[in-house]
Amino acid sequence: MTEQNPPVYPRATSASERKVATSVRFPEIEERILKYWEADGTFHASIANRDVVRDQTGHPENPQDSAGSRGTEFVFYDGPPFANGLPHYGHLLTGYVKDLVPRYQTMRGKKVERRFGWDTHGLPAELSAMKDLGMTDKAEIESMGIEHFNDACRANVLKFTKEWEAYVNRQARWVDFENDYKTLNVEFMESVIWAFKQLHDKGLTYQGFRVLPYCWKDETPLSNHELRMDDEVYQERQDPSVTVTFPITGGGALGDQLAGVNLLAWTTTPWTLPTNFSVAVGAEIEYAVVEAPAEGPLPGKHMLAADLVSAYAKDLGFTDHDDVTAAESAQAAVIGRYLGKDLANLQYRPLWDYYTDASVWGTQHAWRVLIEDYVTTTDGTGLVHQASAYGEEDQQSSEAAGIPVILSVDAAAEFLPMFAEPTPSGDTPLAEIAGVQVFAANRAIINRLKADGRLVREQSYVHSYPHCWRCRTPLIYKAVTSWYVAVTEFKDRMVAINEEINWIPENVKYGQFGKWLENARDWSISRNRYWGSPIPVWASDNPEYPRTEVYGSLEELKEAFGDYPRNAAGEPDLHRPWIDQLTRPNPDDPTGQSTMRRVEDVLDVWFDSGSMPFAQVHYPFENAGWFDTHNPADFIVEYIGQTRGWFYTMHILATALFDRPAFSNVISHGIVLGSDGQKMSKSLQNYPDVNEVFDRDGSDAMRWFLMASPILRGGNLIVTEEGIREGVRQVLLPMWNAWHFFALYANTANNGAGYIARNVFTEDGDRLSRTETGADSGPPVAIEGESAEGAHDARLTPLDHYILAAAGDLVREVTEALDEFNVSRACEALRGFAETLTNWYIRRSRARFYGEDFTSYDVLYTVLETFTRVAAPLLPLVSEEIWRGLTGGRSVHLTDWPDPDTYVKDERAVELMELTRTVTSAGSALRKQAKQRVRQPLATLTVVVPNAEALAGTGASESPYVQIIAEELNIKQVVLLDAADVSPEQFGIGQQLVVNARAAGPRLGKQVQHAIKGAKSGDWSMAGGVVTAGGLELQEGEYTLTTTVSEEAGESAVTVLDAASAGGARGGFLVLDTTLTPELVAEGIARDVVRTVQAARKDAELNVSDRIETTLTASPEVIAAVEAHSELVKAETLTLTLNLVEGEATEETRATVTALKESHA
RNA sequence: GGGCGUAUAGCUCAGGCGGUUAGAGCGUCACACUGAUAAUGUGAAGGUCCGUGGUUCAAGUCCACGUACGCCCA
């Protein structure tokens, strides 16, 4: 590598200097590759390269094939991220998968468009904008003006787009930012209102009530996710809990019998009692009627859950006296027992008369006992007070029972003025609560109950209670009007269509997602907010002339209102406040007084997300043809929680609008956790900083760590720096080191002129030679770029066959894995191959490289080139650098995926080499057992295996397999024997009987335990082919015989080969002769000296090929050994002059080395 | 409170239709090997398979109950 001789490799590099670095800095390489891609336009080329085959109509020919993917295109949908925060590991993880699958499919020949999507609407954006503006409630938004507020939201959601692009780019995710889609674009929003109108026209939308957490200070409902804004939302709070009486007046099956009995109902929200409209009981709960003592505070009959009678004994007036407790007295006073289901429809007397005029309030079905399965007996009385407007379960229960939702408080949670007015019966029991905030009114209500004799018990109750995340006000639950999608109407179709979706991991299909579908409820899609797609519904502002209109396009709006909604700049814009400005006279109002106004709500942001497949292309207004052929998507990926989010809402809309799935294959991955197994938390600092990892270990390292983990199979993943570095060690470094090794030798070959390696082909054009394995060499192989006649006389060794076959298997395995979206399996295959390549092929081939056997260069080149292509989706940056260095080509990502069928499957070569590896591994263990270090040569290893002749080979010279075994284990002579020719007993090998209980159990029943015991204890025999164990005869198949080492056999160590290992080693074993002769000891010492000299060379920082003069100082014994093996020592250490200095018998061996002038040719 | 899920080595996880000696990777320790490699090889220690009860010739595996944790919904 001098200036006169520029190196052959790397043939292309992103680095300024053409050099393969020994100590590699991956992050630097990555940064350079990213720049190269940008300058080169590689991403766009990778898409433009692939053609779409079109049919006669001009539509892409895209029928789904059996694997679920399409002919020439692979359709990917980007799940839109929300950009008002910075990306975290979860986004990175998803982003890597979103890159990997399209990269793979591109190499497989598909055209894969990838548009980035931005989710821009919704409450999180508003909340963030409010924070920026220092606002705390809706009144401030209204006074600022919706226009300006929405401007702030728009700026907020796009605040971090640059940072997002930088992250996405740094993680080497190829995605089109220029041709992106944003949910705030008017085209996107027009498709969204189109979808709403479609649903409306199909009768799948309706208006109703929903109960939401509500902040009475901000006067706004909160979404459930705001309850999880931070950890301080739920705080302990003390509330009064009261138990009140509801006297039964009749009704139901038992009304006559139970009339006059008091239902005892419990609540922690006394302020909802004025709107009590029903009492819920559990169907299977047993209720008891107790006769309270006449002299007590509550004489009469009371009903409550039987389990809770004792708990209420004292409240009902029972007392402890003599030996009888109050609880026992109460139990004794039980005069009747009823199951909840028998109590249905009992009627009771309301507490007050404010709402008893059914003609005004529609309460003709109120004040009844209802059966609800949510009732328990862990708190209260087992009878639950229900107020339809103030609890979600209450509301649903009431709706089913025909009871209306009636609000008793205003937006500030203050009781309405009507409470100061007389009730139909003429009194004003709760006059003092009118205008009072609900919590403040509790006291007055409780006092009233007490005065009315309706209070059984009052107790303070401490519970975890939600608070507003902004103002810390305790929330209430309150009904608000809402628009719904009637999901329950087409739930069955959703379940049926789910059958067409391939879920990874598969259990999600019928598990998390399938069950969620089966229990689907109607989808509340309206939000009383500002920044979102509008609900395109206009309603008359006078209920006397009701009229509802729904619009599904800008043109329809223009037709009805005279113009598009236009923003300040005059552009068509569907956002508030512009859309709200469209009004018109109500055509159904003959007086001409009332006006059609848009309902104020905006759509749930998930409606946007679910519309993404069609809205991203402005369907149906544009691209109708495109959409028809690019839906469902071939592939999407998001985290498992999206079974209730994106996956779900896309499925709803795809089913309702198109009656087909929105996606064919979906990966739902697990959650990324911090190093302590908890959720990642900035304040806890329990995860490595993303940028630090990028800078220190690199994007490919992070990609590998995430992709190789079980997280894509649904498990959770703990992110640790060690885990990331482990991937570097297992794959990235071996891959780089293999490349470095190759370049080092290829560059210095031919006296420094270098050698350009080429792909290995057989004469008939297959990639691999089909030469006989087991021979020490095969027929000549052709080298790519040369005619068959011109091929140099390359000979593949069994080792070459092995690694080439392994490369073919690698391609097959990774192809299969990625075709089924099994990413971690693909990683495992690559990891295994990297290990075989470096720790076996290259390690075993060092001498050949040193000796400039160019066949090995070509084989390593072929294998590395294959490896980098197969690794390209999983390690896109490092693969690129190595592949370009090897080939000088433009990009590995523009190549075709290797065709597994062009790799000859050479099972025999693999099998024999695996057996060889098994033998060396077991041999190592034998050495360990015999306490003989490897540098100590041993005389003989006897290898007994079935079909020994295959290992021995047919060649005249020594079998390469035997040679490998001898070298690896430092054995003078390997004796290969066929298992059929030897008697195991002579080597101390015995047999062990194992009963196959699965086979024998059914036949022998209880007896099988005796046979098992006998086999274990040695109480068994074999005579004339009949095996008897524990006195029982076993039949063929009911037992197996395995070889086992019975004892140490004198001067040798014996081991049995793992029966499961490759090459049919069943019954094979090794015998290691551990006898040491003085000659062997001397050679061992000489080898130790070689090691000492090598270490000295390394310390002196000499070049690999430097010739040296060596001076050794050592004990007489060592000197003698070195003298006896001086040729060995000199050759191994490139020593030309060897000086020996004899010291004391205890002298430590020391070596001094000096480089000599002549350099190695 | 409800639904779903999980519980196996210090850590992360595998463990077909139940089969008798429960595995892997990482980590730890010891030894070995090493002139491409911040690598590698061999071995050792490490288990109340969450608990209790049941079914069975046989239970980590099936059933019931309980406990703990997680996610979702309240």
Side-chain angles (χ1 to χ4, degrees):
Chain A
M1 280 191 246
T2 60
E3 278 172 35
Q4 295 90 334
N5 283 324
V8 175
Y9 292 99
R11 298 184 65 185
T13 178
S14 58
S16 51
E17 196 186 356
R18 281 186 54 196
K19 192 180 160 193
V20 181
T22 315
S23 65
V24 60
R25 292 253 325 121
F26 291 121
E28 279 172 25
I29 293 174
E30 294 183 351
E31 299 276 7
R32 291 200 307 262
I33 292 285
L34 291 171
K35 284 200 185 102
Y36 168 74
W37 282 348
E38 196 183 354
D40 177 66
T42 322
F43 171 39
H44 289 289
S46 79
I47 296 172
N49 257 0
R50 305 296 178 180
D51 297 321
V52 177
V53 179
R54 292 179 189 278
D55 61 20
Q56 301 101 319
T57 64
H59 284 155
E61 206 169 74
N62 250 357
Q64 291 206 337
D65 62 30
S66 56
S69 71
R70 296 163 193 255
T72 57
E73 272 191 276
F74 185 83
V75 181
F76 165 75
Y77 290 165
D78 189 20
F82 200 74
N84 79 334
L86 290 171
H88 57 249
Y89 276 94
H91 296 117
L92 283 174
L93 166 70
T94 316
Y96 280 127
V97 188
K98 288 175 175 179
D99 182 66
L100 177 163
V101 171
R103 259 185 215 276
Y104 167 69
Q105 292 292 343
T106 299
M107 290 178 77
R108 291 297 302 275
K110 305 283 176 78
K111 192 181 194 79
V112 193
E113 303 273 6
R114 282 157 266 180
R115 302 179 67 193
F116 198 84
W118 299 103
D119 197 4
T120 58
H121 285 149
L123 199 65
E126 292 193 29
L127 298 177
S128 176
M130 286 171 76
K131 219 174 233 171
D132 291 351
L133 295 166
M135 293 175 161
T136 52
D137 62 35
K138 283 169 82 175
E140 290 173 275
I141 297 173
E142 305 269 355
S143 68
M144 173 191 206
I146 296 173
E147 176 187 353
H148 295 114
F149 179 71
N150 276 357
D151 284 345
C153 290
R154 182 192 307 268
N156 190 278
V157 291
L158 299 173
K159 190 159 56 179
F160 294 114
T161 50
K162 284 295 156 214
E163 282 82 353
W164 270 85
E165 286 198 37
Y167 265 96
V168 167
N169 184 47
R170 183 62 188 86
Q171 74 171 135
R173 180 178 166 203
W174 274 353
V175 63
D176 194 344
F177 278 109
E178 282 153 38
N179 184 31
D180 60 4
Y181 72 87
K182 294 191 181 77
T183 58
L184 56 74
N185 288 344
V186 67
E187 293 86 1
F188 193 100
M189 290 170 73
E190 189 179 22
S191 294
V192 168
I193 63 169
W194 168 82
F196 182 93
K197 190 179 182 198
Q198 290 288 305
L199 294 175
H200 181 81
D201 290 349
K202 293 178 186 215
L204 295 175
T205 61
Y206 67 92
Q207 197 177 16
F209 276 105
R210 69 190 298 238
V211 173
L212 280 180
Y214 181 87
C215 176
W216 44 274
K217 182 162 175 293
D218 297 350
E219 301 193 3
T220 179
L222 280 73
S223 70
N224 281 316
H225 95 260
E226 282 176 284
L227 298 188
R228 289 188 289 276
M229 284 295 281
D230 60 45
D231 297 336
E232 286 157 43
V233 164
Y234 277 91
Q235 287 169 13
E236 295 282 291
R237 182 183 155 81
Q238 201 173 9
D239 276 313
S241 76
V242 296
T243 305
V244 298
T245 61
F246 289 116
I248 294 170
T249 57
L254 300 169
D256 295 341
Q257 189 182 335
L258 291 171
V261 172
N262 287 321
L263 299 167
L264 300 190
W266 181 80
T267 179
T268 57
T269 52
W271 63 269
T272 62
L273 286 171
T275 43
N276 166 276
F277 296 130
S278 60
V279 165
V281 299
E284 300 304 326
I285 296 173
E286 189 190 31
Y287 293 89
V289 173
V290 184
E291 174 95 58
E295 68 280 11
L298 286 164
K301 297 170 187 167
H302 307 282
M303 178 183 281
L304 72 168
D307 290 350
L308 295 163
V309 168
S310 301
Y312 271 85
K314 288 190 175 165
D315 300 291
L316 296 176
F318 296 96
T319 52
D320 298 329
H321 55 85
D322 302 334
D323 293 338
V324 186
T325 64
E328 286 162 348
S329 306
Q331 290 294 351
V334 171
I335 55 170
R337 290 175 186 274
Y338 304 90
L339 274 182
K341 58 185 169 195
D342 298 324
L343 305 177
N345 290 320
L346 284 174
Q347 287 169 357
Y348 61 85
R349 183 150 64 79
L351 289 166
W352 301 291
D353 291 337
Y354 285 101
Y355 298 102
T356 47
D357 186 344
S359 64
V360 174
W361 300 103
T363 47
Q364 57 275 16
H365 299 300
W367 301 292
R368 279 192 296 147
V369 172
L370 305 176
I371 311 296
E372 293 300 331
D373 57 12
Y374 74 83
V375 178
T376 68
T377 56
T378 49
D379 282 307
T381 59
L383 293 107
V384 179
H385 142 74
Q386 297 200 121
S388 53
Y390 302 114
E392 184 172 351
E393 280 154 336
D394 307 41
Q395 190 249 319
Q396 282 166 7
S397 164
S398 300
E399 188 177 299
I403 297 169
V405 173
I406 298 175
L407 285 166
S408 54
V409 300
D410 62 14
E414 290 169 2
F415 276 96
L416 299 170
M418 64 169 281
F419 284 93
E421 308 290 324
T423 66
S425 46
D427 56 352
T428 52
L430 295 172
E432 60 179 299
I433 67 168
V436 177
Q437 195 275 336
V438 292
F439 292 126
N442 274 339
R443 192 70 256 155
I445 292 169
I446 293 168
N447 289 341
R448 184 76 246 167
L449 290 167
K450 211 181 283 175
D452 291 348
R454 303 289 290 265
L455 184 68
V456 179
R457 173 199 277 185
E458 179 195 351
Q459 220 173 17
S460 74
Y461 185 77
V462 177
H463 54 163
S464 157
Y465 195 84
H467 292 69
C468 177
W469 62 275
R470 281 166 299 181
C471 60
R472 299 298 167 207
T473 306
L475 301 170
I476 62 173
Y477 283 85
K478 177 169 158 331
V480 297
T481 57
S482 180
W483 282 82
Y484 285 86
V485 174
V487 173
T488 44
E489 295 278 315
F490 54 91
K491 188 166 82 172
D492 294 348
R493 277 307 293 162
M494 285 170 62
V495 171
I497 288 173
N498 185 34
E499 289 297 324
E500 297 168 37
I501 299 172
N502 175 33
W503 285 88
I504 297 112
E506 57 194 10
N507 58 303
V508 179
K509 181 173 189 167
Y510 299 116
Q512 203 145 320
F513 193 68
K515 288 197 172 137
W516 177 249
L517 290 182
E518 281 167 23
N519 298 316
R521 298 221 299 246
D522 288 352
W523 177 18
S524 158
I525 51 168
S526 62
R527 296 292 180 269
N528 192 227
R529 299 295 310 190
Y530 308 97
W531 178 240
S533 297
I535 292 203
V537 176
W538 273 253
S540 161
D541 59 4
N542 183 345
E544 291 189 19
Y545 302 101
R547 181 180 167 89
T548 303
E549 296 168 349
V550 177
Y551 298 94
S553 72
L554 284 166
E555 288 309 318
E556 289 173 24
L557 287 170
K558 187 178 182 182
E559 199 175 311
F561 297 96
D563 193 9
Y564 304 128
R566 289 186 188 275
N567 60 26
E571 300 153 344
D573 191 335
L574 285 164
H575 282 106
R576 299 185 71 186
W578 324 111
I579 184 112
D580 300 336
Q581 292 167 1
L582 299 186
T583 58
R584 65 182 193 129
N586 177 359
D588 290 348
D589 178 1
T591 71
Q593 298 297 303
S594 62
T595 305
M596 299 300 292
R597 297 182 190 280
R598 195 183 72 83
V599 305
E600 279 198 342
D601 297 336
V602 295
L603 284 164
D604 177 9
V605 66
W606 288 110
F607 199 98
D608 282 356
S609 313
S611 302
M612 167 269 157
F614 53 88
Q616 66 164 337
V617 291
H618 198 203
Y619 176 91
F621 309 102
E622 295 177 73
N623 300 310
W626 185 93
F627 179 71
D628 290 342
T629 52
H630 293 73
N631 178 265
D634 288 314
F635 174 66
I636 62 170
V637 53
E638 285 296 337
Y639 98 105
I640 182 76
Q642 298 289 12
T643 45
R644 280 95 199 267
W646 191 49
F647 300 150
Y648 179 58
T649 55
M650 274 204 296
H651 194 63
I652 289 175
L653 292 179
T655 302
L657 299 175
F658 310 109
D659 197 39
R660 65 186 178 217
F663 42 90
S664 305
N665 300 286
V666 51
I667 294 182
S668 59
H669 60 71
I671 297 166
V672 185
L673 302 173
S675 53
D676 53 0
Q678 301 298 115
K679 244 184 193 159
M680 287 194 169
S681 147
K682 255 183 203 159
S683 56
L684 289 178
Q685 293 204 312
N686 61 351
Y687 61 93
D689 180 80
V690 173
N691 279 316
E692 263 175 40
V693 175
F694 278 150
D695 292 344
R696 186 190 53 231
D697 304 308
S699 159
D700 276 3
M702 183 132 58
R703 179 183 296 229
W704 183 269
F705 169 70
L706 293 170
M707 297 300 98
S709 77
I711 196 164
L712 296 183
R713 296 198 307 251
N716 293 341
L717 177 66
I718 292 178
V719 174
T720 59
E721 304 191 10
E722 301 82 69
I724 295 167
R725 294 210 190 93
E726 188 188 322
V728 174
R729 279 207 314 274
Q730 285 187 342
V731 179
L732 281 162
L733 281 172
M735 186 168 158
W736 185 265
N737 291 332
W739 154 237
H740 176 256
F741 176 89
F742 168 80
L744 180 70
Y745 282 97
N747 282 337
T748 51
N750 291 324
N751 290 328
Y755 171 79
I756 297 186
R758 282 150 298 188
N759 268 320
V760 181
F761 288 87
T762 54
E763 283 166 317
D764 53 10
D766 280 338
R767 179 170 292 269
L768 304 184
S769 165
R770 288 203 185 110
T771 52
E772 288 293 312
T773 56
D776 57 340
S777 61
V781 295
I783 301 298
E784 186 183 34
E786 297 179 13
S787 67
E789 304 91 71
H792 64 69
D793 193 17
R795 302 259 170 185
L796 295 182
T797 66
L799 199 59
D800 296 328
H801 281 277
Y802 175 61
I803 198 64
L804 288 166
D809 286 341
L810 171 73
V811 174
R812 250 181 294 277
E813 175 85 5
V814 175
T815 306
E816 211 173 279
L818 290 182
D819 277 348
E820 57 187 33
F821 304 95
N822 189 340
V823 178
S824 49
R825 183 181 155 200
C827 288
E828 180 51 34
L830 283 164
R831 201 194 58 74
F833 183 80
E835 132 94 23
T836 297
L837 178 63
T838 59
N839 294 331
W840 194 251
Y841 181 75
I842 294 181
R843 193 167 63 79
R844 287 302 322 154
S845 301
R846 276 192 290 222
R848 289 170 73 205
F849 278 86
Y850 191 72
E852 300 196 4
D853 172 353
F854 293 128
T855 305
S856 60
Y857 290 45
D858 292 333
V859 169
L860 180 55
Y861 172 86
T862 306
V863 162
L864 261 180
E865 198 272 337
T866 303
F867 185 36
T868 46
R869 267 196 288 162
V870 173
L874 285 153
L875 299 166
L877 294 161
V878 176
S879 300
E880 181 78 314
E881 177 72 6
I882 298 176
W883 185 85
R884 296 192 63 231
L886 281 167
T887 64
R890 182 176 171 189
S891 170
V892 70
H893 302 289
L894 300 175
T895 63
D896 286 337
W897 188 254
D899 179 357
D901 292 338
T902 66
Y903 292 81
V904 172
K905 211 170 178 183
D906 197 339
E907 280 174 14
R908 196 63 184 148
V910 175
E911 229 169 62
L912 288 173
M913 193 58 75
E914 293 291 341
L915 175 58
T916 304
R917 292 182 74 171
T918 303
V919 168
T920 58
S921 172
S924 273
L926 270 189
R927 271 192 167 273
K928 168 97 190 159
Q929 184 189 324
K931 296 191 167 54
Q932 291 296 338
R933 69 190 193 283
V934 175
R935 274 196 295 268
Q936 174 61 60
L938 293 175
T940 316
L941 175 72
T942 308
V943 177
V944 183
V945 287
N947 300 313
E949 71 277 5
L951 261 195
T954 53
S957 54
E958 197 185 17
S959 151
Y961 299 110
V962 169
Q963 203 179 328
I964 289 170
I965 293 168
E967 281 181 27
E968 281 287 310
L969 295 173
N970 197 13
I971 302 292
K972 289 291 168 193
Q973 193 199 5
V974 173
V975 178
L976 203 49
L977 297 175
D978 197 288
D981 299 338
V982 299
S983 129
E985 287 75 19
Q986 75 188 79
F987 296 101
I989 302 285
Q991 280 190 313
Q992 196 178 11
L993 179 76
V994 176
V995 176
N996 182 355
R998 189 191 289 262
R1003 183 176 69 89
L1004 296 174
K1006 203 177 281 189
Q1007 300 293 329
V1008 77
Q1009 299 304 338
H1010 293 117
I1012 290 168
K1013 220 172 256 175
K1016 279 187 192 168
S1017 63
D1019 174 23
W1020 64 278
S1021 61
M1022 182 163 70
V1026 179
V1027 169
T1028 314
L1032 289 155
E1033 245 178 58
L1034 294 178
Q1035 297 177 352
E1036 188 68 32
E1038 291 179 347
Y1039 60 89
T1040 43
L1041 288 166
T1042 53
T1043 43
T1044 172
V1045 178
S1046 48
E1047 61 200 70
E1048 280 280 324
E1051 284 297 295
S1052 57
V1054 185
T1055 191
V1056 173
L1057 295 176
D1058 179 7
S1061 67
R1066 177 177 285 275
F1069 59 92
L1070 306 179
V1071 183
L1072 181 66
D1073 183 355
T1074 58
T1075 315
L1076 289 179
T1077 63
E1079 290 75 23
L1080 289 173
V1081 171
E1083 190 181 333
I1085 292 171
R1087 286 182 183 272
D1088 288 340
V1089 168
V1090 168
R1091 173 73 200 126
T1092 307
V1093 175
Q1094 299 288 36
R1097 286 185 63 114
K1098 217 171 185 176
D1099 290 344
E1101 295 184 347
L1102 300 182
N1103 284 326
V1104 181
S1105 55
D1106 285 341
R1107 268 41 181 175
I1108 56 170
E1109 175 173 345
T1110 304
T1111 304
L1112 275 174
T1113 310
S1115 65
E1117 187 198 5
V1118 171
I1119 296 293
V1122 172
E1123 276 170 343
H1125 295 94
S1126 63
E1127 287 314 308
L1128 171 83
V1129 173
K1130 286 162 84 172
E1132 289 286 323
T1133 61
L1134 302 183
T1135 293
L1136 298 186
T1137 312
L1138 181 60
N1139 309 313
L1140 299 176
V1141 180
E1142 191 171 303
E1144 300 295 315
T1146 55
E1147 189 78 37
E1148 285 269 321
T1149 304
R1150 281 176 293 125
T1152 320
V1153 295
T1154 3
L1156 297 174
K1157 286 253 169 86
E1158 307 89 325
S1159 83
H1160 168 54

